[in-house]
Amino acid sequence: MVVVTHLFAFYKSSSATSFEEINVVKDDVLTRTSDTRFMVPVGLHNILFGAALGPNLVDAKLYTPSLETKKHVARIIPRYRGGKVLPLSGNYTYIPEPPLKLVDTEELSFLAYQDAATPPSDIIGVFAFAPDTLPAAPAGEPITVRCTSTTTLTPYQWTTVKVVPEVQLEAGTYALIDFLPISANCIAARVIIPGQVWRPGVLGFAGDEKTALSHARERYLPIPKYEMGRFSHLAVPEFQFLSAAADTTEVVYMKVVKVA
């Protein structure tokens, strides 16, 4: 099994004014131990990056038994208060340095709360499990491939999107090293590589394509490019979008390297 990163999420419409566990977003890869907890996968016991956001978000943190034993309060700083998606300008991504190390098979929770004076509002957390070492990006010239889809997304669920490349790929095998997902209310997206269990992902760009591209550099994460997986020109990857609304148009810019 190829060991890469795996993007996962939490979501709840909450009125809590002190820390409470936020529900998991259903994930058909990770083991869910309750409505609010995932089991840390064997070999993917690091948190590479994450984000916490909500219109009235006050505080947010990750919790596991091992963190509690170490008295480590894994607060998400910075976090975004002001909307259900991250703003196009500015970087509100939590990147622990070094990556936050957890313990295989322990339970992971995401806790957050909002203002006392507000009605229930949405709280979202998105994080990436990672191995101790990321697969190195292969040598070669990166190629950018624009893909599109007209799938109707289900709000706050992972929706599988089949994309169509703008230009047919040359015959061969390609390594995906990064991608840029865009839709009107996109929170994040992850890729489904044929024959691969884990689903690497990135934070998304909410808005129209032209605006998203003009702000792409501002959202760049200081994480080295790595090999997310390989695919044939005959089996272009599918993607799973997490959105705050039922968007009907998606764009993905894949950055790939031809390896065979």
Side-chain angles (χ1 to χ4, degrees), residues 2-260:
V2 179
V3 181
V4 289
T5 64
H6 183 83
L7 198 70
F8 62 102
F10 300 83
Y11 164 74
K12 186 176 184 179
S13 179
S14 172
S15 58
T17 56
S18 59
F19 278 119
E20 72 164 347
E21 291 186 83
I22 306 303
N23 293 338
V24 303
V25 173
K26 184 179 178 181
D27 193 300
D28 51 4
V29 175
L30 296 179
T31 298
R32 183 184 65 179
T33 58
S34 73
D35 289 342
T36 59
R37 300 177 183 181
F38 283 123
M39 180 184 292
V40 176
V42 175
L44 268 69
H45 46 236
N46 300 290
I47 297 295
L48 185 63
F49 68 85
L53 56 150
N56 303 296
L57 182 65
V58 173
D59 205 350
K61 64 182 180 180
L62 292 171
Y63 173 87
T64 70
S66 66
L67 293 174
E68 175 70 9
T69 298
K70 293 184 290 187
K71 306 300 181 185
H72 185 163
V73 180
R75 269 196 168 79
I76 312 306
I77 301 173
R79 50 185 173 265
Y80 177 58
R81 170 191 169 91
K84 300 178 183 180
V85 296
L86 293 171
L88 284 171
S89 59
N91 190 328
Y92 289 86
T93 308
Y94 166 73
I95 304 178
E97 181 59 43
L100 183 65
K101 189 172 291 293
L102 309 177
V103 174
D104 289 350
T105 73
E106 70 175 342
E107 293 181 314
L108 172 68
S109 305
F110 171 61
L111 295 86
Y113 68 93
Q114 63 152 19
D115 283 341
T118 56
S121 61
D122 296 324
I123 294 177
I124 304 103
V126 182
F127 303 93
F129 282 130
D132 290 329
T133 303
L134 294 174
E141 179 186 1
I143 302 168
T144 299
V145 182
R146 180 180 180 269
C147 305
T148 59
S149 176
T150 55
T151 303
T152 299
L153 306 180
T154 301
Y156 303 112
Q157 294 183 25
W158 292 113
T159 303
T160 300
V161 171
K162 294 184 178 182
V163 298
V164 178
E166 186 176 52
V167 178
Q168 185 174 355
L169 291 170
E170 180 185 3
T173 300
Y174 294 83
L176 179 67
I177 61 171
D178 197 7
F179 66 93
L180 178 70
I182 305 166
S183 74
N185 296 277
C186 184
I187 299 169
R190 61 189 192 180
V191 61
I192 301 176
I193 301 287
Q196 185 171 299
V197 174
W198 308 117
R199 298 175 182 177
V202 297
L203 299 178
F205 288 77
D208 63 85
E209 183 178 357
K210 290 181 180 179
T211 305
L213 291 176
S214 70
H215 288 275
R217 186 172 295 277
E218 297 178 30
R219 186 61 60 79
Y220 173 73
L221 301 181
I223 297 170
K225 295 290 188 295
Y226 64 97
E227 184 174 317
M228 295 180 169
R230 297 189 178 192
F231 63 93
S232 160
H233 69 287
L234 298 175
V236 174
E238 296 179 349
F239 293 84
Q240 289 187 313
F241 273 65
L242 182 66
S243 173
D247 299 345
T248 57
T249 302
E250 301 81 37
V251 179
V252 177
Y253 282 82
M254 297 193 302
K255 191 170 290 292
V256 302
V257 175
K258 192 170 187 289
V259 293

